[in-house]
Amino acid sequence: MMVKLGTYATASAVGAAAVVFHAFQSRRQFYPAMLYLATSKISLVLLSNMALVLLCLVWQALKLIFLGRLREAEIERLNEQSWRELMEILFAMTIFREEFNVVFVAMVTLLLFIKAFHWLAQKRVEFIETTPSASRLSHVRMVSFLVLLLVLDSMFLYGCISSLLQTRRPSVALLFAFE
């Protein structure tokens, strides 16, 4: 899995670098190059793909640091919950279709990322509670992981609430605040 992710990450980095290089070579100034990168569909796809690859690399790093190797029950729970949650989010997207943009897709992806770590943390805590021989290191890793998730949740909630207070109308931020 890691070799395939590494190869894909390399290809994505080359594609993203090529589109950025092309933008700056053809436009010669910062603003026109950024405008091109933000409006060109190909550049948006390549840069979004690179962001997704970076998210996968962060996923792998956080998983390795805080959880180590996943057990079969954790992988099964992750697969079950992911499909159900994805369907719920896709259904909610139909309600807020007028606000569908790149920021919305990024927030949905980040929400699923954080929720997946919550599911894994819950399953790992259940495992640690039932295992009498859990090491002190596993307890420290789990507590620090839960603190990190609390900080991420707080930041996400703060961003959603501030967005709601600025717009003063129901929006997709309301959905994210409840999630």
Side-chain angles (χ1 to χ4, degrees):
M1 176 68 183
M2 288 305 290
V3 174
K4 292 179 184 176
L5 180 61
T7 306
Y8 186 72
T10 303
S12 296
V14 167
V19 77
V20 169
F21 179 76
H22 171 71
F24 281 99
Q25 278 301 107
S26 62
R27 303 307 187 277
R28 298 272 186 218
Q29 291 180 351
F30 182 77
Y31 183 74
M34 289 295 117
L35 191 61
Y36 170 76
L37 290 173
T39 56
S40 168
K41 291 190 186 320
I42 292 175
S43 65
L44 277 176
V45 168
L46 288 172
L47 293 175
S48 298
N49 181 56
M50 189 64 212
L52 188 61
V53 166
L54 290 174
L55 189 66
C56 288
L57 293 174
V58 168
W59 167 272
Q60 293 292 334
L62 289 176
K63 184 178 67 82
L64 183 67
I65 291 168
F66 292 112
L67 300 171
R69 186 173 166 89
L70 294 181
R71 295 176 303 109
E72 189 64 35
E74 292 167 337
I75 294 171
E76 184 178 316
R77 167 104 190 248
L78 187 61
N79 288 335
E80 287 174 8
Q81 293 287 104
S82 296
W83 283 112
R84 185 174 45 196
E85 192 63 34
L86 185 64
M87 289 302 131
E88 287 179 12
I89 296 252
L90 289 174
F91 178 69
M93 285 170 63
T94 62
I95 297 170
F96 297 105
R97 65 180 169 268
E98 66 275 353
E99 296 182 44
F100 188 80
N101 56 19
V102 174
V103 174
F104 178 76
V105 173
M107 294 228 354
V108 166
T109 305
L110 188 61
L111 178 69
L112 287 174
F113 178 77
I114 293 171
K115 284 184 122 185
F117 272 130
H118 276 282
W119 302 325
L120 290 174
Q122 181 182 9
K123 199 67 174 168
R124 185 60 59 99
V125 166
E126 290 172 5
F127 175 73
I128 289 175
E129 285 177 344
T130 59
T131 305
S133 64
S135 68
R136 188 174 297 274
L137 177 63
S138 63
H139 282 85
V140 169
R141 286 168 72 182
M142 201 65 228
V143 168
S144 58
F145 185 51
L146 291 173
V147 167
L148 175 68
L149 289 176
L150 178 66
V151 168
L152 288 174
D153 289 344
S154 300
M155 288 172 37
F156 209 83
L157 183 62
Y158 176 77
C160 291
I161 290 174
S162 65
S163 173
L164 280 171
L165 292 175
Q166 286 175 356
T167 60
R168 298 208 179 267
R169 65 179 179 84
S171 70
V172 74
L174 186 64
L175 169 74
F176 290 119
F178 279 112
E179 287 292 328

mmCIF file of all heavy atoms in Angstrom, residues 97-119:
data_model
loop_
_atom_site.group_PDB
_atom_site.id
_atom_site.type_symbol
_atom_site.label_atom_id
_atom_site.label_comp_id
_atom_site.label_asym_id
_atom_site.label_seq_id
_atom_site.Cartn_x
_atom_site.Cartn_y
_atom_site.Cartn_z
ATOM 1 N N ARG A 97 -27.078 22.642 -2.114
ATOM 2 C CA ARG A 97 -26.418 22.604 -3.422
ATOM 3 C C ARG A 97 -26.038 23.984 -3.943
ATOM 4 O O ARG A 97 -25.145 24.116 -4.755
ATOM 5 C CB ARG A 97 -27.260 21.839 -4.429
ATOM 6 C CG ARG A 97 -28.573 22.463 -4.764
ATOM 7 C CD ARG A 97 -29.334 21.599 -5.775
ATOM 8 N NE ARG A 97 -30.694 22.047 -5.908
ATOM 9 C CZ ARG A 97 -31.718 21.582 -5.212
ATOM 10 N NH1 ARG A 97 -31.525 20.637 -4.341
ATOM 11 N NH2 ARG A 97 -32.926 22.053 -5.383
ATOM 12 N N GLU A 98 -26.690 25.049 -3.476
ATOM 13 C CA GLU A 98 -26.319 26.386 -3.942
ATOM 14 C C GLU A 98 -24.996 26.839 -3.340
ATOM 15 O O GLU A 98 -24.372 27.759 -3.843
ATOM 16 C CB GLU A 98 -27.418 27.413 -3.635
ATOM 17 C CG GLU A 98 -27.655 27.669 -2.158
ATOM 18 C CD GLU A 98 -28.604 26.681 -1.504
ATOM 19 O OE1 GLU A 98 -29.194 25.853 -2.218
ATOM 20 O OE2 GLU A 98 -28.750 26.729 -0.273
ATOM 21 N N GLU A 99 -24.549 26.189 -2.254
ATOM 22 C CA GLU A 99 -23.275 26.540 -1.625
ATOM 23 C C GLU A 99 -22.162 25.559 -2.002
ATOM 24 O O GLU A 99 -21.117 25.542 -1.373
ATOM 25 C CB GLU A 99 -23.432 26.572 -0.108
ATOM 26 C CG GLU A 99 -24.383 27.641 0.371
ATOM 27 C CD GLU A 99 -24.486 27.682 1.871
ATOM 28 O OE1 GLU A 99 -23.434 27.610 2.531
ATOM 29 O OE2 GLU A 99 -25.606 27.783 2.372
ATOM 30 N N PHE A 100 -22.394 24.752 -3.013
ATOM 31 C CA PHE A 100 -21.425 23.740 -3.418
ATOM 32 C C PHE A 100 -20.267 24.412 -4.151
ATOM 33 O O PHE A 100 -20.439 25.011 -5.212
ATOM 34 C CB PHE A 100 -22.100 22.705 -4.320
ATOM 35 C CG PHE A 100 -21.249 21.528 -4.625
ATOM 36 C CD1 PHE A 100 -21.111 20.510 -3.709
ATOM 37 C CD2 PHE A 100 -20.567 21.432 -5.827
ATOM 38 C CE1 PHE A 100 -20.328 19.410 -3.984
ATOM 39 C CE2 PHE A 100 -19.779 20.338 -6.109
ATOM 40 C CZ PHE A 100 -19.658 19.332 -5.189
ATOM 41 N N ASN A 101 -19.067 24.331 -3.543
ATOM 42 C CA ASN A 101 -17.861 24.891 -4.154
ATOM 43 C C ASN A 101 -16.653 24.131 -3.617
ATOM 44 O O ASN A 101 -16.798 23.137 -2.907
ATOM 45 C CB ASN A 101 -17.763 26.396 -3.907
ATOM 46 C CG ASN A 101 -17.811 26.737 -2.429
ATOM 47 O OD1 ASN A 101 -17.569 25.892 -1.564
ATOM 48 N ND2 ASN A 101 -18.138 27.976 -2.132
ATOM 49 N N VAL A 102 -15.474 24.606 -3.941
ATOM 50 C CA VAL A 102 -14.245 23.923 -3.542
ATOM 51 C C VAL A 102 -14.093 23.921 -2.014
ATOM 52 O O VAL A 102 -13.676 22.925 -1.426
ATOM 53 C CB VAL A 102 -13.022 24.571 -4.224
ATOM 54 C CG1 VAL A 102 -11.725 23.979 -3.723
ATOM 55 C CG2 VAL A 102 -13.126 24.429 -5.732
ATOM 56 N N VAL A 103 -14.453 25.028 -1.384
ATOM 57 C CA VAL A 103 -14.346 25.114 0.079
ATOM 58 C C VAL A 103 -15.277 24.090 0.731
ATOM 59 O O VAL A 103 -14.908 23.437 1.705
ATOM 60 C CB VAL A 103 -14.662 26.548 0.561
ATOM 61 C CG1 VAL A 103 -14.707 26.624 2.071
ATOM 62 C CG2 VAL A 103 -13.652 27.524 -0.006
ATOM 63 N N PHE A 104 -16.473 23.931 0.182
ATOM 64 C CA PHE A 104 -17.423 22.958 0.712
ATOM 65 C C PHE A 104 -16.874 21.539 0.606
ATOM 66 O O PHE A 104 -16.942 20.763 1.562
ATOM 67 C CB PHE A 104 -18.756 23.078 -0.034
ATOM 68 C CG PHE A 104 -19.780 22.078 0.404
ATOM 69 C CD1 PHE A 104 -20.457 22.240 1.601
ATOM 70 C CD2 PHE A 104 -20.078 20.978 -0.377
ATOM 71 C CE1 PHE A 104 -21.401 21.328 2.012
ATOM 72 C CE2 PHE A 104 -21.020 20.055 0.024
ATOM 73 C CZ PHE A 104 -21.687 20.229 1.216
ATOM 74 N N VAL A 105 -16.323 21.202 -0.540
ATOM 75 C CA VAL A 105 -15.742 19.870 -0.730
ATOM 76 C C VAL A 105 -14.571 19.653 0.229
ATOM 77 O O VAL A 105 -14.418 18.582 0.818
ATOM 78 C CB VAL A 105 -15.321 19.653 -2.201
ATOM 79 C CG1 VAL A 105 -14.560 18.357 -2.372
ATOM 80 C CG2 VAL A 105 -16.538 19.674 -3.098
ATOM 81 N N ALA A 106 -13.748 20.678 0.416
ATOM 82 C CA ALA A 106 -12.631 20.567 1.351
ATOM 83 C C ALA A 106 -13.127 20.368 2.775
ATOM 84 O O ALA A 106 -12.572 19.558 3.533
ATOM 85 C CB ALA A 106 -11.758 21.820 1.261
ATOM 86 N N MET A 107 -14.187 21.065 3.155
ATOM 87 C CA MET A 107 -14.730 20.918 4.508
ATOM 88 C C MET A 107 -15.349 19.538 4.703
ATOM 89 O O MET A 107 -15.206 18.939 5.763
ATOM 90 C CB MET A 107 -15.744 22.015 4.801
ATOM 91 C CG MET A 107 -15.114 23.369 4.836
ATOM 92 S SD MET A 107 -15.436 24.496 6.170
ATOM 93 C CE MET A 107 -16.626 23.888 7.215
ATOM 94 N N VAL A 108 -16.027 19.021 3.691
ATOM 95 C CA VAL A 108 -16.596 17.669 3.782
ATOM 96 C C VAL A 108 -15.474 16.647 3.936
ATOM 97 O O VAL A 108 -15.557 15.730 4.765
ATOM 98 C CB VAL A 108 -17.468 17.353 2.544
ATOM 99 C CG1 VAL A 108 -17.770 15.880 2.443
ATOM 100 C CG2 VAL A 108 -18.751 18.150 2.576
ATOM 101 N N THR A 109 -14.427 16.803 3.170
ATOM 102 C CA THR A 109 -13.296 15.881 3.253
ATOM 103 C C THR A 109 -12.642 15.946 4.625
ATOM 104 O O THR A 109 -12.345 14.914 5.236
ATOM 105 C CB THR A 109 -12.272 16.203 2.154
ATOM 106 O OG1 THR A 109 -12.930 16.191 0.889
ATOM 107 C CG2 THR A 109 -11.148 15.199 2.144
ATOM 108 N N LEU A 110 -12.435 17.145 5.117
ATOM 109 C CA LEU A 110 -11.844 17.318 6.448
ATOM 110 C C LEU A 110 -12.754 16.750 7.532
ATOM 111 O O LEU A 110 -12.282 16.120 8.486
ATOM 112 C CB LEU A 110 -11.553 18.794 6.701
ATOM 113 C CG LEU A 110 -10.759 19.122 7.954
ATOM 114 C CD1 LEU A 110 -9.377 18.465 7.899
ATOM 115 C CD2 LEU A 110 -10.621 20.619 8.110
ATOM 116 N N LEU A 111 -14.054 16.941 7.387
ATOM 117 C CA LEU A 111 -15.009 16.387 8.349
ATOM 118 C C LEU A 111 -14.941 14.866 8.374
ATOM 119 O O LEU A 111 -14.898 14.253 9.447
ATOM 120 C CB LEU A 111 -16.421 16.855 8.016
ATOM 121 C CG LEU A 111 -17.529 16.314 8.899
ATOM 122 C CD1 LEU A 111 -17.416 16.892 10.298
ATOM 123 C CD2 LEU A 111 -18.889 16.623 8.303
ATOM 124 N N LEU A 112 -14.921 14.246 7.215
ATOM 125 C CA LEU A 112 -14.819 12.777 7.162
ATOM 126 C C LEU A 112 -13.499 12.294 7.747
ATOM 127 O O LEU A 112 -13.451 11.271 8.440
ATOM 128 C CB LEU A 112 -14.979 12.291 5.722
ATOM 129 C CG LEU A 112 -16.384 12.364 5.156
ATOM 130 C CD1 LEU A 112 -16.379 12.004 3.688
ATOM 131 C CD2 LEU A 112 -17.330 11.455 5.911
ATOM 132 N N PHE A 113 -12.441 13.018 7.492
ATOM 133 C CA PHE A 113 -11.116 12.699 8.020
ATOM 134 C C PHE A 113 -11.138 12.703 9.548
ATOM 135 O O PHE A 113 -10.693 11.753 10.203
ATOM 136 C CB PHE A 113 -10.146 13.744 7.463
ATOM 137 C CG PHE A 113 -8.731 13.630 7.920
ATOM 138 C CD1 PHE A 113 -7.893 12.670 7.388
ATOM 139 C CD2 PHE A 113 -8.218 14.509 8.850
ATOM 140 C CE1 PHE A 113 -6.574 12.587 7.783
ATOM 141 C CE2 PHE A 113 -6.904 14.440 9.249
ATOM 142 C CZ PHE A 113 -6.075 13.474 8.715
ATOM 143 N N ILE A 114 -11.681 13.756 10.125
ATOM 144 C CA ILE A 114 -11.731 13.868 11.581
ATOM 145 C C ILE A 114 -12.670 12.827 12.181
ATOM 146 O O ILE A 114 -12.361 12.209 13.206
ATOM 147 C CB ILE A 114 -12.129 15.303 11.992
ATOM 148 C CG1 ILE A 114 -11.013 16.285 11.611
ATOM 149 C CG2 ILE A 114 -12.422 15.391 13.483
ATOM 150 C CD1 ILE A 114 -11.387 17.737 11.779
ATOM 151 N N LYS A 115 -13.816 12.607 11.538
ATOM 152 C CA LYS A 115 -14.755 11.600 12.050
ATOM 153 C C LYS A 115 -14.146 10.204 12.018
ATOM 154 O O LYS A 115 -14.352 9.413 12.933
ATOM 155 C CB LYS A 115 -16.059 11.638 11.245
ATOM 156 C CG LYS A 115 -16.936 12.792 11.599
ATOM 157 C CD LYS A 115 -18.225 12.700 10.855
ATOM 158 C CE LYS A 115 -19.293 12.683 11.897
ATOM 159 N NZ LYS A 115 -20.606 12.491 11.431
ATOM 160 N N ALA A 116 -13.394 9.911 10.980
ATOM 161 C CA ALA A 116 -12.750 8.592 10.893
ATOM 162 C C ALA A 116 -11.773 8.397 12.042
ATOM 163 O O ALA A 116 -11.704 7.320 12.645
ATOM 164 C CB ALA A 116 -12.044 8.441 9.553
ATOM 165 N N PHE A 117 -11.039 9.435 12.385
ATOM 166 C CA PHE A 117 -10.128 9.325 13.523
ATOM 167 C C PHE A 117 -10.893 9.174 14.837
ATOM 168 O O PHE A 117 -10.440 8.483 15.745
ATOM 169 C CB PHE A 117 -9.182 10.510 13.584
ATOM 170 C CG PHE A 117 -7.932 10.305 12.788
ATOM 171 C CD1 PHE A 117 -7.505 11.260 11.890
ATOM 172 C CD2 PHE A 117 -7.180 9.149 12.924
ATOM 173 C CE1 PHE A 117 -6.353 11.071 11.148
ATOM 174 C CE2 PHE A 117 -6.024 8.953 12.177
ATOM 175 C CZ PHE A 117 -5.613 9.913 11.292
ATOM 176 N N HIS A 118 -12.065 9.780 14.932
ATOM 177 C CA HIS A 118 -12.888 9.588 16.129
ATOM 178 C C HIS A 118 -13.350 8.137 16.245
ATOM 179 O O HIS A 118 -13.351 7.568 17.345
ATOM 180 C CB HIS A 118 -14.098 10.524 16.109
ATOM 181 C CG HIS A 118 -13.815 11.899 16.616
ATOM 182 N ND1 HIS A 118 -13.713 12.197 17.941
ATOM 183 C CD2 HIS A 118 -13.605 13.062 15.940
ATOM 184 C CE1 HIS A 118 -13.457 13.484 18.083
ATOM 185 N NE2 HIS A 118 -13.374 14.026 16.873
ATOM 186 N N TRP A 119 -13.752 7.543 15.133
ATOM 187 C CA TRP A 119 -14.189 6.141 15.165
ATOM 188 C C TRP A 119 -13.045 5.229 15.575
ATOM 189 O O TRP A 119 -13.221 4.306 16.374
ATOM 190 C CB TRP A 119 -14.734 5.710 13.813
ATOM 191 C CG TRP A 119 -15.872 6.519 13.300
ATOM 192 C CD1 TRP A 119 -16.874 7.097 14.039
ATOM 193 C CD2 TRP A 119 -16.131 6.862 11.947
ATOM 194 N NE1 TRP A 119 -17.719 7.769 13.215
ATOM 195 C CE2 TRP A 119 -17.303 7.642 11.923
ATOM 196 C CE3 TRP A 119 -15.494 6.590 10.744
ATOM 197 C CZ2 TRP A 119 -17.848 8.143 10.745
ATOM 198 C CZ3 TRP A 119 -16.031 7.090 9.577
ATOM 199 C CH2 TRP A 119 -17.196 7.857 9.580
#
